[in-house]
Amino acid sequence: MIYKNLILCALICFVTSCKQEVYLNRIEGERLEINDSISSNEVIDNFIKPYRENVNKNLDSVLAYSVETYSKTDGTLNTALGNFMADVVLEQSNPVFKSETGKDIDMVLLNHGGMRSIISKGNITSRTGYQLMPFENSVVVVELKGAIIMEIVAYLQKSKRAHPISNLSIILDADYKLIEAKINNEPIVQDKTYYVATNDYLYGGGDNMTFFKKGDNLHFLNYKIRNALIDYFKKVDTISPAIDNRFIKLN
Amino acid sequence: MKRRDFLQQTAATTALVTLGGVGLQSFSTSKTKQITILHTNDVHSHIDPFGPDDGRNANKGGVARRANLVEAIRNENPNTLLLDAGDIFQGTPYFNFYGGELEFKLMSMLKYDAATIGNHDFDNGIDGLYKQLPHADFEFVTANYDFSNTIMDTHVKPYKIFVKDGIKIGIFGLGIALDGLVLKSLFKETVYLNPIEIAQDMSRILKEDEQCDLVICLSHLGYNYKNNPNIASDLNLARATKDIDLIIGGHTHTFLRKPTIEKNIIDKNVLVNQVGCYGLYLGRIDFYFDGDKNKSANGTSIIV
């Protein structure tokens, strides 16, 4: 009799989708490091190979020539490398911005820390673009009143660093006091709207550049800084940027 | 084991075998069942290992190595799931050249089971993501993005259920707020829904309606925001929900040495794990199930 009941129970259990109670007794967690003690899967490696070779071939094809080696540490308030980056962002982004808005970009501000490598004397390849700018940041144009531009000037004055700028010029006296600040070679007008190009990281307040959030309008160009650099390298034969008078301190 | 219990088991098993030769294993109450969960997050197109000269991650990472490690674990326990918590795309020239095709093809070769969508997976636009879907032999799960007015409609599921060794595993996905993180022109008409509320719905559906034995959340919300504790994060999610066993996170590139054990809204343990980024690590969580309730009378033991 008991045996029959058991069969019945089992049958009911079987018919009702076989749902058997299970109990979670134990959980174990660990982190496994992927390093060179683990051999590579040959099938996977062979699959990647043609992609890798094509990428490397493209990255290493020569786009331009650099006359010297340029580093962000050569220079005090402006550097050849920083001037190059800011000028390229202006030159490459302006046509994109103008086609969308009919306006011109008035100035560019990037950050000194955003230059991630040197440009070495000799051949320039796409890889140079990836090394200089490994991040995926894109160009944004912010509409800022002259009064906010003066906050940018004050930021640069205080930081005493060669943050890359273009089309903005600043002269400080021996005590780092402001003598003159100009955009397009003209004095900055307090209530005039200026179109300032930067990247989305700095717009978001990176490097304490809090002034960008005070802007009136924001334009995303969907144009990566790295792509601007690579497009520029493709366009020119040679680069020879220089330290100039865009941001200087008088002795 | 008591003699009477033994007899009952034997009888029941015999009966079933005669009924159709099924269920011998699934009805055995003494056998321990092991489910292994392997996971990555924020791999960011890191297909090749870092070179020997890399300042931070020299000789680490690499998909081909991960493939062998995963294969070895699968050979040891076939009841294994391999999951990714998003930001598969963007970070090496492979993405710039091939738009994510190689990433998805390799993940398919490694037999990934499911992935959630990270913010960087929109970097070539929602159309760029859609274009690569044919290369992915695994499911995308994201419950809190409403894709109905986008090209991704019907291609992303809120959750997926896997059955391994009779254990029912429900996996749902969560994505991060896209506004301010991704350009609107890229995510288009994707609508972001409150992840905590959605997670409460999902865990109820998976635990109560679907009767899952294990509920896993694949999250790209980020581990925790110290300066902004009210932003939805994995730790907040763990505390505000119930019936989730494991939250696998991403986005914040948080290198946890071991999973975090957090208390949920009814004071039960939830595991939260994240393995940094770039495929430098593989996370492994093993769940052991038993048919014997007495063994788990004192709660589930967690060894991390």
Side-chain angles (χ1 to χ4, degrees):
Chain A
M1 189 58 199
I2 290 167
Y3 187 76
K4 268 187 183 172
N5 282 342
L6 277 170
I7 292 177
L8 192 65
C9 279
L11 187 63
I12 289 164
C13 181
F14 178 71
V15 171
T16 57
S17 83
C18 259
K19 183 68 191 171
Q20 165 88 10
E21 282 299 314
V22 287
Y23 303 95
L24 181 55
N25 281 334
R26 189 159 49 99
I27 308 171
E28 292 180 8
E30 63 175 330
R31 181 174 84 163
L32 307 170
E33 188 177 280
I34 312 283
N35 57 37
D36 48 10
S37 73
I38 303 167
S39 63
S40 288
N41 183 300
E42 269 185 44
V43 175
I44 297 286
D45 221 21
N46 289 334
F47 187 82
I48 299 168
K49 205 178 166 196
Y51 291 88
R52 184 188 292 131
E53 284 170 352
N54 186 40
V55 165
N56 286 342
K57 194 183 77 197
N58 274 284
L59 283 179
D60 294 330
S61 67
V62 178
L63 304 178
Y65 183 83
S66 178
V67 174
E68 293 294 338
T69 293
Y70 304 102
S71 161
K72 68 174 175 182
T73 55
D74 298 336
T76 48
L77 294 178
N78 77 88
T79 66
L81 185 62
N83 296 345
F84 172 77
M85 260 184 99
D87 290 348
V88 167
V89 166
L90 182 64
E91 181 171 332
Q92 294 300 119
S93 307
N94 198 50
V96 181
F97 182 62
K98 194 160 190 171
S99 73
E100 281 183 18
T101 63
K103 310 281 187 188
D104 284 301
I105 294 169
D106 291 301
M107 61 161 277
V108 176
L109 171 64
L110 302 172
N111 66 325
H112 188 253
M115 293 179 277
R116 306 302 292 186
S117 77
I118 58 171
I119 294 180
S120 299
K121 180 177 179 174
N123 289 335
I124 293 173
T125 65
S126 292
R127 202 182 288 282
T128 313
Y130 280 90
Q131 287 165 340
L132 190 54
M133 186 59 202
F135 306 128
E136 301 304 326
N137 301 100
S138 295
V139 182
V140 297
V141 178
V142 195
E143 295 184 18
L144 294 176
K145 287 281 192 291
I148 310 296
I149 301 290
M150 292 315 293
E151 287 187 31
I152 294 182
V153 172
Y155 171 94
L156 294 169
Q157 198 182 341
K158 199 179 153 201
S159 71
K160 297 171 188 167
R161 287 184 82 187
H163 292 298
I165 54 173
S166 185
N167 221 31
L168 168 70
S169 64
I170 301 170
I171 302 173
L172 306 178
D173 72 10
D175 298 321
Y176 290 94
K177 295 234 165 52
L178 182 66
I179 295 177
E180 155 188 297
K182 288 180 168 179
I183 287 179
N184 290 323
N185 274 322
E186 286 173 22
I188 295 160
V189 181
Q190 287 277 320
D191 57 358
K192 186 184 166 187
T193 295
Y194 293 92
Y195 298 95
V196 181
T198 186
N199 68 48
D200 44 6
Y201 165 72
L202 297 173
Y203 173 76
D207 238 340
N208 292 314
M209 294 195 182
T210 50
F211 34 79
F212 282 122
K213 277 287 161 67
K214 298 174 183 172
D216 296 322
N217 278 308
L218 176 67
H219 305 268
F220 288 102
L221 299 194
N222 203 10
Y223 191 24
K224 284 179 189 167
I225 303 275
R226 184 199 307 122
N227 290 344
L229 290 165
I230 291 172
D231 290 346
Y232 183 83
F233 292 145
K234 285 179 181 165
K235 200 165 76 176
V236 300
D237 293 327
T238 305
I239 68 155
S240 56
I243 295 171
D244 57 24
N245 289 330
R246 66 184 74 192
F247 187 15
I248 53 165
K249 182 175 86 78
L250 302 177
N251 292 313
Chain B
M1 187 182 285
K2 286 177 191 163
R3 183 173 158 77
R4 187 179 159 79
D5 290 348
F6 173 77
L7 285 172
Q8 278 184 4
Q9 260 184 28
T10 310
T13 308
T14 310
L16 273 159
V17 168
T18 53
L19 277 167
V22 294
L24 187 68
Q25 282 198 344
S26 62
F27 277 78
S28 151
T29 52
S30 58
K31 187 197 159 221
T32 296
K33 297 181 178 188
Q34 179 193 0
I35 302 293
T36 301
I37 304 295
L38 302 177
H39 62 94
T40 51
N41 59 276
D42 299 274
V43 178
H44 282 295
S45 306
H46 281 270
I47 287 162
D48 293 326
F50 283 88
D53 300 326
D54 188 85
R56 213 180 250 181
N57 306 313
N59 298 316
K60 284 211 222 168
V63 176
R65 290 174 186 163
R66 195 194 321 149
N68 269 357
L69 181 58
V70 168
E71 198 178 348
I73 294 168
R74 279 213 174 96
N75 288 340
E76 178 196 304
N77 180 18
N79 300 309
T80 292
L81 291 176
L82 177 58
L83 309 171
D84 186 272
D87 277 7
I88 295 162
F89 288 176
Q90 191 73 270
T92 70
Y94 284 113
F95 178 69
N96 304 80
F97 278 74
Y98 299 106
E101 174 190 322
L102 185 58
E103 288 83 333
F104 281 2
K105 281 183 171 172
L106 291 169
M107 285 173 76
S108 302
M109 290 171 83
L110 265 66
K111 300 192 182 66
Y112 268 79
D113 294 285
T116 195
I117 297 171
N119 47 301
H120 279 290
D121 299 319
F122 289 95
D123 277 6
N124 277 350
I126 193 163
D127 301 280
L129 176 58
Y130 175 78
K131 197 177 144 195
Q132 303 304 337
L133 288 183
H135 304 302
D137 293 339
F138 51 91
E139 200 85 57
F140 285 95
V141 285
T142 304
N144 69 324
Y145 288 158
D146 178 358
F147 285 116
S148 30
N149 291 322
T150 74
I151 195 165
M152 290 293 283
D153 188 29
T154 74
H155 295 285
V156 180
K157 305 229 162 28
Y159 64 86
K160 186 169 166 71
I161 292 172
F162 298 87
V163 180
K164 295 272 173 188
D165 196 12
I167 302 286
K168 211 169 170 187
I169 307 148
I171 299 176
F172 72 97
L174 291 176
I176 194 167
L178 297 170
D179 237 351
L181 203 55
V182 180
L183 306 184
K184 169 80 174 158
S185 60
L186 297 178
F187 69 80
K188 293 189 172 171
E189 299 305 316
T190 307
V191 180
Y192 167 80
L193 307 170
N194 183 318
I196 307 286
E197 287 170 19
I198 294 288
Q200 287 162 343
D201 289 346
M202 282 298 125
S203 51
R204 182 181 46 75
I205 290 168
L206 292 173
K207 198 75 190 182
E208 292 171 21
D209 301 350
E210 301 280 5
Q211 296 274 305
C212 288
D213 300 303
L214 203 54
V215 175
I216 297 173
C217 174
L218 263 186
S219 154
H220 199 76
L221 296 178
Y223 180 68
N224 185 30
Y225 299 94
K226 274 187 192 140
N227 300 325
N228 266 316
N230 294 327
I231 293 181
S233 66
D234 294 338
L235 291 190
N236 289 344
L237 176 72
R239 292 175 195 135
T241 52
K242 60 169 185 171
D243 292 330
I244 299 175
D245 297 287
L246 169 65
I247 298 169
I248 295 169
H251 188 64
T252 43
H253 296 198
T254 306
F255 288 91
L256 296 177
R257 290 183 177 281
K258 55 184 192 174
T260 304
I261 304 168
E262 194 63 50
K263 291 285 181 195
N264 73 8
I265 202 163
I266 53 164
D267 215 35
K268 282 183 134 183
N269 290 328
V270 190
L271 257 64
V272 180
N273 204 18
Q274 192 178 145
V275 288
C277 53
Y278 308 152
L280 302 171
Y281 295 93
L282 182 70
R284 174 176 182 167
I285 315 278
D286 288 291
F287 292 91
Y288 295 91
F289 289 88
D290 226 289
D292 185 353
K293 192 170 193 177
N294 292 329
K295 274 195 185 175
S296 61
N298 300 322
T300 306
S301 61
I302 301 174
I303 304 160
V304 293

Short mmCIF file of all heavy atoms in Angstrom, two decimals, chain A residues 62-94:
data_model
loop_
_atom_site.label_atom_id
_atom_site.label_comp_id
_atom_site.label_asym_id
_atom_site.label_seq_id
_atom_site.Cartn_x
_atom_site.Cartn_y
_atom_site.Cartn_z
N VAL A 62 52.68 55.04 -43.16
CA VAL A 62 53.17 56.40 -42.89
C VAL A 62 52.20 57.44 -43.45
O VAL A 62 51.81 57.38 -44.62
CB VAL A 62 54.57 56.58 -43.50
CG1 VAL A 62 55.08 58.01 -43.28
CG2 VAL A 62 55.53 55.58 -42.88
N LEU A 63 51.80 58.40 -42.59
CA LEU A 63 50.87 59.45 -43.00
C LEU A 63 51.56 60.79 -43.19
O LEU A 63 51.18 61.58 -44.04
CB LEU A 63 49.76 59.61 -41.95
CG LEU A 63 48.94 58.37 -41.59
CD1 LEU A 63 47.93 58.72 -40.51
CD2 LEU A 63 48.22 57.81 -42.82
N ALA A 64 52.56 61.06 -42.36
CA ALA A 64 53.24 62.36 -42.41
C ALA A 64 54.62 62.21 -41.78
O ALA A 64 55.01 61.10 -41.38
CB ALA A 64 52.41 63.41 -41.67
N TYR A 65 55.34 63.34 -41.71
CA TYR A 65 56.69 63.32 -41.15
C TYR A 65 56.82 64.40 -40.10
O TYR A 65 56.36 65.53 -40.30
CB TYR A 65 57.71 63.53 -42.28
CG TYR A 65 59.14 63.47 -41.82
CD1 TYR A 65 59.78 62.24 -41.68
CD2 TYR A 65 59.84 64.64 -41.49
CE1 TYR A 65 61.09 62.18 -41.23
CE2 TYR A 65 61.15 64.58 -41.05
CZ TYR A 65 61.78 63.34 -40.91
OH TYR A 65 63.07 63.28 -40.46
N SER A 66 57.43 64.08 -38.98
CA SER A 66 57.63 65.06 -37.93
C SER A 66 59.08 65.53 -37.95
O SER A 66 60.01 64.73 -37.89
CB SER A 66 57.31 64.44 -36.57
OG SER A 66 57.56 65.36 -35.55
N VAL A 67 59.25 66.87 -38.04
CA VAL A 67 60.59 67.45 -38.19
C VAL A 67 61.43 67.26 -36.93
O VAL A 67 62.62 67.00 -37.00
CB VAL A 67 60.48 68.95 -38.55
CG1 VAL A 67 61.85 69.62 -38.58
CG2 VAL A 67 59.78 69.12 -39.91
N GLU A 68 60.78 67.37 -35.77
CA GLU A 68 61.48 67.21 -34.50
C GLU A 68 60.69 66.27 -33.60
O GLU A 68 59.60 65.84 -33.95
CB GLU A 68 61.61 68.57 -33.79
CG GLU A 68 62.51 69.58 -34.49
CD GLU A 68 63.97 69.16 -34.52
OE1 GLU A 68 64.37 68.34 -33.66
OE2 GLU A 68 64.70 69.63 -35.42
N THR A 69 61.26 66.03 -32.41
CA THR A 69 60.51 65.33 -31.37
C THR A 69 59.83 66.39 -30.50
O THR A 69 60.48 67.35 -30.08
CB THR A 69 61.45 64.46 -30.51
OG1 THR A 69 61.93 63.40 -31.33
CG2 THR A 69 60.72 63.88 -29.30
N TYR A 70 58.53 66.24 -30.32
CA TYR A 70 57.77 67.24 -29.55
C TYR A 70 57.20 66.58 -28.30
O TYR A 70 56.57 65.53 -28.37
CB TYR A 70 56.64 67.82 -30.40
CG TYR A 70 57.16 68.42 -31.69
CD1 TYR A 70 57.03 67.72 -32.90
CD2 TYR A 70 57.79 69.66 -31.71
CE1 TYR A 70 57.53 68.24 -34.08
CE2 TYR A 70 58.29 70.18 -32.89
CZ TYR A 70 58.17 69.47 -34.07
OH TYR A 70 58.66 69.99 -35.23
N SER A 71 57.42 67.27 -27.16
CA SER A 71 56.93 66.75 -25.88
C SER A 71 56.17 67.84 -25.15
O SER A 71 56.49 69.02 -25.26
CB SER A 71 58.13 66.29 -25.04
OG SER A 71 57.75 66.20 -23.69
N LYS A 72 55.22 67.44 -24.34
CA LYS A 72 54.44 68.43 -23.59
C LYS A 72 55.25 69.07 -22.47
O LYS A 72 54.81 70.04 -21.87
CB LYS A 72 53.17 67.79 -23.03
CG LYS A 72 53.39 66.76 -21.94
CD LYS A 72 52.06 66.29 -21.36
CE LYS A 72 52.27 65.17 -20.36
NZ LYS A 72 50.98 64.68 -19.85
N THR A 73 56.44 68.53 -22.21
CA THR A 73 57.26 69.12 -21.14
C THR A 73 58.24 70.17 -21.67
O THR A 73 58.93 70.82 -20.90
CB THR A 73 58.05 68.03 -20.39
OG1 THR A 73 58.82 67.30 -21.34
CG2 THR A 73 57.11 67.07 -19.66
N ASP A 74 58.32 70.32 -22.99
CA ASP A 74 59.20 71.34 -23.56
C ASP A 74 58.44 72.64 -23.72
O ASP A 74 57.68 72.81 -24.68
CB ASP A 74 59.74 70.88 -24.93
CG ASP A 74 60.57 69.61 -24.80
OD1 ASP A 74 61.09 69.36 -23.69
OD2 ASP A 74 60.67 68.87 -25.79
N GLY A 75 58.66 73.56 -22.79
CA GLY A 75 57.95 74.84 -22.82
C GLY A 75 57.36 75.11 -21.46
O GLY A 75 57.22 74.19 -20.65
N THR A 76 57.02 76.38 -21.19
CA THR A 76 56.46 76.70 -19.87
C THR A 76 54.95 76.91 -19.96
O THR A 76 54.18 76.07 -19.51
CB THR A 76 57.14 77.93 -19.27
OG1 THR A 76 57.18 78.96 -20.25
CG2 THR A 76 58.54 77.59 -18.82
N LEU A 77 54.51 78.01 -20.56
CA LEU A 77 53.07 78.27 -20.62
C LEU A 77 52.45 77.84 -21.94
O LEU A 77 51.23 77.75 -22.06
CB LEU A 77 52.78 79.76 -20.34
CG LEU A 77 53.12 80.20 -18.91
CD1 LEU A 77 52.86 81.69 -18.73
CD2 LEU A 77 52.35 79.40 -17.86
N ASN A 78 53.27 77.62 -22.94
CA ASN A 78 52.76 76.95 -24.14
C ASN A 78 53.84 76.05 -24.71
O ASN A 78 55.03 76.31 -24.55
CB ASN A 78 52.17 77.93 -25.15
CG ASN A 78 53.19 78.69 -25.97
OD1 ASN A 78 53.62 78.22 -27.02
ND2 ASN A 78 53.60 79.86 -25.48
N THR A 79 53.42 74.95 -25.30
CA THR A 79 54.37 73.97 -25.84
C THR A 79 54.05 73.73 -27.32
O THR A 79 52.91 73.93 -27.75
CB THR A 79 54.25 72.61 -25.12
OG1 THR A 79 52.96 72.04 -25.43
CG2 THR A 79 54.37 72.75 -23.61
N ALA A 80 55.06 73.32 -28.05
CA ALA A 80 54.84 73.04 -29.47
C ALA A 80 53.79 71.94 -29.65
O ALA A 80 52.90 72.04 -30.50
CB ALA A 80 56.15 72.63 -30.13
N LEU A 81 53.85 70.92 -28.78
CA LEU A 81 52.91 69.80 -28.91
C LEU A 81 51.48 70.24 -28.59
O LEU A 81 50.54 69.90 -29.31
CB LEU A 81 53.34 68.65 -27.98
CG LEU A 81 52.51 67.37 -28.10
CD1 LEU A 81 52.61 66.77 -29.49
CD2 LEU A 81 52.95 66.35 -27.05
N GLY A 82 51.35 71.03 -27.52
CA GLY A 82 50.02 71.51 -27.13
C GLY A 82 49.45 72.45 -28.18
O GLY A 82 48.26 72.37 -28.52
N ASN A 83 50.30 73.35 -28.70
CA ASN A 83 49.84 74.27 -29.74
C ASN A 83 49.37 73.49 -30.96
O ASN A 83 48.35 73.81 -31.58
CB ASN A 83 50.97 75.22 -30.15
CG ASN A 83 51.37 76.13 -28.99
OD1 ASN A 83 50.65 76.24 -28.00
ND2 ASN A 83 52.52 76.78 -29.12
N PHE A 84 50.14 72.44 -31.27
CA PHE A 84 49.78 71.60 -32.41
C PHE A 84 48.40 70.97 -32.21
O PHE A 84 47.53 71.05 -33.07
CB PHE A 84 50.84 70.51 -32.61
CG PHE A 84 50.48 69.49 -33.63
CD1 PHE A 84 50.58 69.78 -34.99
CD2 PHE A 84 50.01 68.23 -33.25
CE1 PHE A 84 50.22 68.84 -35.94
CE2 PHE A 84 49.66 67.29 -34.20
CZ PHE A 84 49.76 67.60 -35.55
N MET A 85 48.20 70.37 -31.04
CA MET A 85 46.92 69.70 -30.80
C MET A 85 45.74 70.66 -30.84
O MET A 85 44.72 70.39 -31.47
CB MET A 85 46.94 68.97 -29.44
CG MET A 85 47.20 67.50 -29.57
SD MET A 85 47.11 66.63 -28.00
CE MET A 85 45.46 65.96 -28.05
N ALA A 86 45.90 71.80 -30.17
CA ALA A 86 44.79 72.76 -30.13
C ALA A 86 44.53 73.34 -31.53
O ALA A 86 43.37 73.50 -31.93
CB ALA A 86 45.11 73.87 -29.14
N ASP A 87 45.60 73.63 -32.27
CA ASP A 87 45.43 74.18 -33.61
C ASP A 87 44.77 73.16 -34.56
O ASP A 87 43.95 73.52 -35.40
CB ASP A 87 46.78 74.63 -34.19
CG ASP A 87 47.33 75.87 -33.46
OD1 ASP A 87 46.56 76.50 -32.70
OD2 ASP A 87 48.53 76.19 -33.66
N VAL A 88 45.15 71.90 -34.39
CA VAL A 88 44.55 70.86 -35.24
C VAL A 88 43.06 70.72 -34.92
O VAL A 88 42.22 70.61 -35.83
CB VAL A 88 45.27 69.50 -35.07
CG1 VAL A 88 44.46 68.37 -35.68
CG2 VAL A 88 46.66 69.57 -35.70
N VAL A 89 42.71 70.75 -33.63
CA VAL A 89 41.30 70.65 -33.25
C VAL A 89 40.51 71.80 -33.88
O VAL A 89 39.42 71.61 -34.42
CB VAL A 89 41.13 70.62 -31.71
CG1 VAL A 89 39.68 70.85 -31.31
CG2 VAL A 89 41.62 69.28 -31.16
N LEU A 90 41.10 73.02 -33.86
CA LEU A 90 40.42 74.17 -34.47
C LEU A 90 40.26 73.97 -35.98
O LEU A 90 39.16 74.10 -36.52
CB LEU A 90 41.21 75.46 -34.18
CG LEU A 90 40.58 76.75 -34.72
CD1 LEU A 90 39.25 77.03 -34.05
CD2 LEU A 90 41.52 77.94 -34.52
N GLU A 91 41.37 73.63 -36.62
CA GLU A 91 41.34 73.53 -38.09
C GLU A 91 40.41 72.41 -38.58
O GLU A 91 39.67 72.58 -39.54
CB GLU A 91 42.76 73.28 -38.61
CG GLU A 91 42.82 73.20 -40.13
CD GLU A 91 44.24 73.17 -40.67
OE1 GLU A 91 45.16 73.72 -40.02
OE2 GLU A 91 44.43 72.59 -41.77
N GLN A 92 40.44 71.28 -37.87
CA GLN A 92 39.62 70.14 -38.33
C GLN A 92 38.15 70.26 -37.93
O GLN A 92 37.27 69.79 -38.65
CB GLN A 92 40.19 68.83 -37.77
CG GLN A 92 41.58 68.46 -38.30
CD GLN A 92 41.59 68.29 -39.81
OE1 GLN A 92 42.29 69.00 -40.52
NE2 GLN A 92 40.78 67.35 -40.30
N SER A 93 37.89 70.87 -36.76
CA SER A 93 36.51 70.91 -36.26
C SER A 93 35.71 72.06 -36.85
O SER A 93 34.48 71.96 -36.95
CB SER A 93 36.50 71.06 -34.73
OG SER A 93 37.28 70.08 -34.15
N ASN A 94 36.41 73.15 -37.20
CA ASN A 94 35.66 74.32 -37.63
C ASN A 94 34.76 74.06 -38.84
O ASN A 94 33.60 74.47 -38.82
CB ASN A 94 36.60 75.51 -37.87
CG ASN A 94 35.83 76.81 -37.89
OD1 ASN A 94 35.05 77.08 -36.97
ND2 ASN A 94 36.00 77.59 -38.95
#
